[in-house]
Amino acid sequence: MSVCLIGAGLSGLAMAHALKSAGIDFVCVEKASDVGGIWRLPQAGEPGPGYLALHLNTTKQLTGYADYPMPASCPVHPRHSEFAAYLRSFAEWAGLVDHLELETTVASVRQESDGSWTVVTVDARGTRASRSFTQVIVASGSNTEPSLPAPLRGSDTFTGTFLHSYDYRDGSDFAGQRVVVVGLGASAVDIAVDLSRHAERTLLSVRRGRHVLPKQLFGMALDEIAEAPWWTSMSLEEQRRFIDQALLVARGKLSDYGLPEPDHPLFASAVTVSDEILPRIRHGGIVPKPAIDFLDGSRVAFTDGTSAHADAIVHCTGYRMAFPFLPAGCPVGARGSVELYKRVVAPGRPGLYFVGLVRPHGSITRLVEAQSRWVARLVAGEAVLPEPEVMHKEIAAYLSGIAGQYGQAGSASINVDVAPYLQELLSE
C-alpha cells in the first residue's frame, strides 16, 4: 500500500496525522517551500490568496487541531503568521516532516487500468518524476484560480491598475492612492479595512447585498455557536430569526451604513464575518458604492450616477475550483458542482479521495479531522464504500438539498452545516 497526499496546509496536515497514526505509509507533496498553505504565504512573500492583514475569523480553540491545541499565548483570532507557525509546530510534533516533499508540484494524476494511480511531479530543480501509488488524497484547497468578472465597459481606457485579491499584499503599497474595492466577501472587507488606513480614499463597490456578521454574538464566537447543542436543536427558520434579531439590536440595518440589504435570507448563501467593516464605514474610512457602470480614463462611474477617480481597482471576486492535474470532470462535474460522496469520495474512481473541500459556517478543522480519520480507515481497509450507484444517489440528494437552501451555483455545492455533517462523518 502506498499513498500520495497532495497539499500540506491545514487539511493536508490533518490527513497526514491521521495516516501516520494509522501506521499507513505515505508521501505528502507540497508546492510551497514549507507547510501552512495560504496562512504562510503573506509572510513568505509568495503569490497566493493571503495578505498581510489576514487573521482567523474562527477561534483558535476550534481551528486548532484537537490533539494539539494552540498555545494559550495566541489571541483568540490569531494573525496569519501566528497560525502558520502553529501549523509548522504541529507538523514537527506529529512527526510529519520526514513525509514531506516540499517545493514539488503535481503535474498530473491518472488512474491506470489496474486501478493504481500514476502521479507525475516536478521538483524545484525542474526534475520530473513519475511514481505509482495505490491511493491518492487531494488536500490542495479550492482557492487556486482567481475569478475575474467580464471586462467593464471602458476597461481599455482605465489609466489605473487592475488587480485581484490574489495579488494583494499590503495596504501600504497603496499609500496616498485612490482605490476601489469590488465585492463584499471576507477578502473584500479585510482588504478595504486595510486600505482605509493607508490609501487617500477607499471606496467599496457592492453589486449584491450580503449578510455581515460580527465574530461573536452574546459573548460567544460564531463557530462556538454553530456547534452548541441549543443552536443545532433549532430549525433553520428559528436560527435565522435568532441571528436576525440579534443583528438588528447590535448594529441595525445594513442599509443604515449605505450597503445594500441582502436579497436572500440568512444562511442561503455564504456570510461575511467582520468586526471592522461597519465601524470603518461609520468613521468615513470606507465609502460604500453600488456596482461599477463603466470606466473612463481614471474615472469610475457607478450605477447610481455618481463617479470618482481611482488609481487602482481591486477585484475581490472569489476563486474557481480548479484541479488541472486531475482527470477532466473530477471532482467538478459538467454543471460546475463538486460531485463527491459524503463530500470526500469520487465515485467510480477507487482510491481517490478529497479532504477539506467543504465550506461550513464556522471552523473547518473538526470536519477535516473527521474526514481524515474516515479516509485513513478506507485506505486501511477498515471501512468499506457502497457501490458507485449508491454513492451517485447520495450525491444527487445532497446537491438537491443544497440547491434548495443555497441556490444552483456550483460554488454552493461545497457548503455544509457543521453539526449534521460532523455527525454524518462520525457515523462512518
Side-chain angles (χ1 to χ4, degrees), residues 309-379:
H309 291 277
D311 301 299
I313 298 175
V314 185
H315 288 283
C316 301
T317 45
Y319 296 84
R320 289 185 296 271
M321 291 179 285
F323 302 87
F325 51 84
L326 290 174
C330 179
V332 182
R335 290 176 292 183
S337 296
V338 172
E339 300 177 1
L340 295 173
Y341 174 67
K342 305 290 186 184
R343 327 292 71 80
V344 172
V345 180
R349 300 184 186 274
L352 179 62
Y353 309 102
F354 293 80
V355 172
L357 199 53
V358 291
R359 182 170 57 204
H361 292 300
S363 174
I364 196 175
T365 308
R366 296 295 173 264
L367 304 183
V368 165
E369 290 176 315
Q371 287 181 330
S372 299
R373 289 191 295 270
W374 181 40
V375 171
R377 293 184 67 238
L378 290 169
V379 170

Side-chain angles (χ1 to χ4, degrees), residues 64-259:
Y65 299 110
D67 292 342
Y68 188 74
M70 295 189 71
S73 58
C74 278
V76 174
H77 298 284
R79 66 180 290 112
H80 66 85
S81 54
E82 292 170 312
F83 193 56
Y86 163 76
L87 292 174
R88 177 65 193 185
S89 67
F90 172 78
E92 294 170 353
W93 170 83
L96 307 178
V97 176
D98 290 342
H99 295 269
L100 298 171
E101 294 184 4
L102 300 173
E103 296 184 282
T104 302
T105 301
V106 176
S108 66
V109 174
R110 70 175 186 273
Q111 191 167 28
E112 307 297 347
S113 57
D114 63 357
S116 65
W117 292 88
T118 298
V119 178
V120 178
T121 57
V122 181
D123 66 17
R125 297 183 299 276
T127 303
R128 201 173 181 88
S130 178
R131 288 173 286 181
S132 180
F133 298 92
T134 57
Q135 323 267 349
V136 172
I137 305 169
V138 180
S140 55
S142 58
N143 291 346
T144 51
E145 290 191 3
S147 176
L148 285 166
L152 297 162
R153 185 158 54 103
S155 290
D156 56 337
T157 72
F158 185 56
T159 56
T161 303
F162 288 112
L163 66 156
H164 188 273
S165 56
Y166 184 90
D167 307 304
Y168 180 88
R169 177 173 166 79
D170 186 43
S172 64
D173 297 334
F174 299 84
Q177 295 189 32
R178 301 159 298 179
V179 186
V180 177
V181 178
V182 178
L184 192 60
S187 60
V189 298
D190 279 357
I191 288 172
V193 168
D194 188 37
L195 280 167
S196 72
R197 299 188 173 104
H198 300 274
E200 177 184 318
R201 184 182 64 236
T202 303
L203 305 182
L204 182 64
S205 172
V206 181
R207 177 180 61 84
R208 183 189 182 208
R210 189 166 177 156
H211 292 278
V212 179
L213 277 64
K215 292 185 179 181
Q216 66 175 31
L217 286 169
F218 301 107
M220 291 184 66
L222 292 182
D223 47 345
E224 293 176 321
I225 291 175
E227 296 191 11
W230 60 266
W231 171 261
T232 57
S233 65
M234 292 183 184
S235 68
L236 177 60
E237 286 307 313
E238 289 172 331
Q239 292 174 344
R240 283 172 170 163
R241 282 198 300 271
F242 177 84
I243 298 295
D244 280 337
Q245 291 169 0
L247 292 177
L248 192 60
V249 171
R251 45 94 167 141
K253 297 179 179 180
L254 289 175
S255 54
D256 296 336
Y257 298 80
L259 294 171

